[in-house]
Amino acid sequence: MATTARTPATTPPAKGSPMSSTRKTALVAGVFYLITFISIPTLALYRPVKNHADWILGSGAGTAVLVGGFLEVIVALAGIGTAVTLYPVVKRQNEGVALGFVAARVLEASMIFIGAVSLLSLVTLRQDLGGAAGADAASLVTTGASHVATYNWTFLLGQSLMPGINALLLGSLMYRSRLVPRLIPVIGLIGAPLLITAVFATLFGVIEQGSSLAAAAALPVAAWELSLGVWLVVKGFRPSPITAGAVAAATPAAHQDVAV
């Protein structure tokens, strides 16, 4: 009898059977994590406005910056989606840390929005000027430089520091709960201190933002998020007391629905 009771927890559902609630949660969270990587093209899309101080004096719609801003908005919302989706599951391991992960994701998204708005506002100024700056050219170039500086700082804190903090928070939850193979959160737990150290080194001028050393420090955290997203989409959560508890908590509600 004991063996029969354990079988459903380890046997995959039959083909065509409805997806369990925990499998849906893992799938949605994994998709959100993969969506966060669509902002990679912004490195190229923003290059003209970041590398040319007089970009604001030019003419044109600034389509590349508009596309980059749109991608970053999606990334910010997807980041919040990862935390909100995973919270009901990982809070069973440690509710305080899980709540901290949600708060950190919201803060990260807020800084991404601020950075995107700082560059999108330059598009508006460029369109309004239409290439006719006149005597105010120098002040407009200074304005453009200040907006770019705002973006650079929000990128450093929002898209470099916060992912490191998120890796520490969620990585510890995933490692202790064994919801995914422990190698995956280990990558994040190793990469997080490296990335955070690189951020502070950039903050105090030890290394240059966007340098090869800064990029190398970000790779382990990027690998952690990508591997987590792929695993959740393809495999879902591994059987654990947390997933068993989630199923048990959902069972009474299902019985009530059937009774009604």
Side-chain angles (χ1 to χ4, degrees), residues 22 92 240-252:
T22 54
R92 296 177 178 276
S240 71
I242 288 180
T243 55
V247 172
T251 302

Side-chain angles (χ1 to χ4, degrees):
M1 293 300 292
T3 303
T4 304
R6 286 194 301 266
T7 302
T10 56
T11 303
K15 186 176 181 179
S17 62
M19 189 179 294
S20 68
S21 60
T22 54
R23 183 66 185 96
K24 290 178 182 177
T25 297
L27 177 61
V28 172
V31 169
F32 276 137
Y33 260 109
L34 297 181
I35 289 175
T36 60
F37 284 87
I38 67 169
S39 67
I40 293 177
T42 59
L43 297 174
L45 293 172
Y46 288 158
R47 187 173 293 123
V49 65
K50 294 177 67 177
N51 292 352
H52 301 282
D54 60 348
W55 182 86
I56 191 175
L57 303 179
S59 58
T63 303
V65 179
L66 292 173
V67 173
F70 176 71
L71 293 178
E72 290 206 291
V73 167
I74 294 177
V75 169
L77 296 176
I80 295 176
T82 61
V84 172
T85 305
L86 289 174
Y87 176 74
V89 177
V90 296
K91 74 174 184 179
R92 296 177 178 276
Q93 180 63 47
N94 188 309
E95 187 170 3
V97 176
L99 187 59
F101 175 59
V102 174
R105 273 303 205 189
V106 171
L107 181 58
E108 177 186 352
S110 300
M111 286 189 277
I112 292 175
F113 272 110
I114 292 171
V117 168
S118 69
L119 293 188
L120 291 175
S121 61
L122 289 182
V123 176
T124 302
L125 290 173
R126 176 185 168 100
Q127 292 172 345
D128 290 344
L129 291 170
D136 295 329
S139 62
L140 287 171
V141 170
T142 301
T143 299
S146 67
H147 282 250
V148 171
T150 298
Y151 176 82
N152 288 336
W153 283 112
T154 55
F155 183 90
L156 180 67
L157 299 178
Q159 300 191 61
S160 297
L161 177 62
M162 296 311 300
I165 294 175
N166 292 331
L168 289 176
L169 294 172
L170 184 61
S172 63
L173 291 171
M174 289 296 184
Y175 182 85
R176 293 167 59 190
S177 64
R178 298 177 182 267
L179 289 170
V180 297
R182 279 189 159 179
L183 176 62
I184 295 177
V186 163
I187 296 173
L189 293 173
I190 292 175
L194 296 176
L195 181 56
I196 293 172
T197 301
V199 168
F200 281 100
T202 304
L203 187 66
F204 292 104
V206 178
I207 62 176
E208 184 180 351
Q209 186 175 7
S211 65
S212 57
L213 186 59
L219 285 178
V221 170
W224 136 255
E225 293 190 348
L226 180 61
S227 59
L228 177 62
V230 171
W231 181 273
L232 291 178
V233 168
V234 176
K235 295 290 188 178
F237 297 126
R238 300 178 76 180
S240 71
I242 288 180
T243 55
V247 172
T251 302
H255 287 168
Q256 290 175 7
D257 293 340
V258 172
V260 173

